[in-house]
Amino acid sequence: MDADILEYYDRGGEDVRLVDSVELVRTKVLLQRHLPRNADVLDVGGGSGVYATWLAEEGHRVRLVDPVPRHVATARATGIDAVEGDARALAEPDASRDAVLLLGPLYHLLDRADRVLALAEAGRVSRDLVIAAAISRWSPMFEGMLSGLVDEPGFTPMLREDLASGTRRGTQHHPFGFTTCYFHRPEELVGEVADAGLTLVDLLPVEGMAHWIPDLADRLADPDKRAVLLELIERTEHEPALLGATAHLLVIARR
């Protein structure tokens, strides 16, 4: 793992990043839609166990794999079966899980060959489903425009590179930075899934534009407003013109 990625995640931000987020709520909806009941799930790049904990509560049997020792220790402390590992070389038998989740690894693999390898490894281990998340190419632009970051010195040059190449390196010390990461175009993700030997089932926006609405926290806290929000995202999830207008994309594939 690159040192800057490890440094970023050692801060512990992943422990709380998803709390009260539309990303978390909507990803759960999509996982419930596709996972079979009482599935054997390998959660690769599962961080400190936010999804693994919830999946276990839902009756699934879960093992978490993550390259960050802090994440693995945190997950284990909550009772999750967690081990250190690399998405590109999983220490798991062939066809040993009903589903393999990659809800993070594709964010940080800059080389296409590595992303295809991670998807292929997930396919090797899965008996059926591979579910993988990616960050949309236009996510940092929407974030920057709607939060005013485009007015911050240094942000727009970084954004130009994000848009041109999809890559960002070592910005963890910037007040508006992330860390080494890759931003996907939807069609790139489709191609990587195919080259990994997987069959595409669906490609979906996770949050849609809801990620950036100004009263998002209030809407998620109100059950009725949250239901409407999720309904509207679902009603537009297959609109090709809107697919990239989201913070995250989720691919559903079969081996």
Side-chain angles (χ1 to χ4, degrees):
M1 169 169 283
D2 290 352
D4 63 303
I5 299 176
L6 185 60
E7 177 188 343
Y8 178 83
Y9 284 115
D10 268 343
R11 299 173 186 172
E14 197 65 11
D15 298 352
V16 297
R17 180 182 68 84
L18 290 168
V19 174
D20 299 326
S21 70
V22 67
E23 178 188 351
L24 177 66
V25 174
R26 169 80 168 151
T27 300
K28 286 181 177 180
V29 168
L30 296 176
L31 291 178
Q32 285 177 321
R33 185 188 299 178
H34 290 281
L35 288 176
R37 291 173 58 86
N38 303 318
D40 285 308
V41 179
L42 191 69
D43 184 8
V44 182
S48 51
V50 173
Y51 288 111
T53 301
W54 169 75
L55 288 166
E57 291 170 351
E58 292 288 297
H60 302 291
R61 295 169 295 280
V62 187
R63 166 172 280 187
L64 181 148
V65 179
D66 199 274
V68 180
R70 187 189 191 284
H71 288 167
V72 172
T74 301
R76 285 176 177 170
T78 64
I80 296 296
D81 174 15
V83 297
E84 290 183 34
D86 186 328
R88 295 164 295 183
L90 296 171
E92 300 286 334
D94 295 355
S96 57
R97 303 281 171 168
D98 296 311
V100 177
L101 310 182
L102 297 171
L103 302 181
L106 300 187
Y107 301 174
H108 301 299
L109 297 173
L110 300 190
D111 292 337
R112 187 182 189 277
D114 282 336
R115 298 194 296 272
V116 170
L117 180 56
L119 287 162
E121 267 292 89
R124 177 186 66 78
V125 172
S126 178
R127 288 188 286 267
D128 184 18
L129 284 171
V130 173
I131 301 178
I135 307 174
S136 169
R137 175 67 60 92
W138 302 282
S139 176
M141 181 183 71
F142 290 133
E143 185 79 37
M145 293 177 67
L146 294 171
S147 67
L149 281 173
V150 290
D151 300 319
E152 295 292 328
F155 182 83
T156 301
M158 182 182 71
L159 179 59
R160 292 187 183 112
E161 182 61 29
D162 293 342
L163 292 171
S165 70
T167 58
R168 187 185 294 185
R169 291 178 171 85
T171 60
Q172 72 274 15
H173 297 301
H174 290 231
F176 45 75
F178 182 27
T179 184
T180 294
C181 58
Y182 187 75
F183 303 110
H184 271 86
R185 292 175 178 271
E187 63 271 20
E188 290 178 314
L189 195 53
V190 171
E192 290 166 11
V193 166
D195 286 353
L198 302 173
T199 300
L200 182 69
V201 174
D202 215 346
L203 177 61
L204 301 159
V206 176
E207 308 94 337
M209 280 297 292
H211 180 73
W212 297 289
I213 60 177
D215 60 347
L216 178 58
D218 291 338
R219 289 189 176 276
L220 288 175
D222 183 302
D224 292 334
K225 291 181 178 179
R226 181 176 60 200
V228 171
L229 182 71
L230 291 173
E231 176 194 346
L232 294 176
I233 298 171
E234 183 172 346
R235 282 179 177 271
T236 56
E237 67 184 17
H238 287 116
E239 291 291 341
L242 300 179
L243 183 55
T246 183
H248 298 88
L249 297 153
L250 197 75
V251 66
I252 315 296
R254 286 199 154 89
R255 58 168 295 170

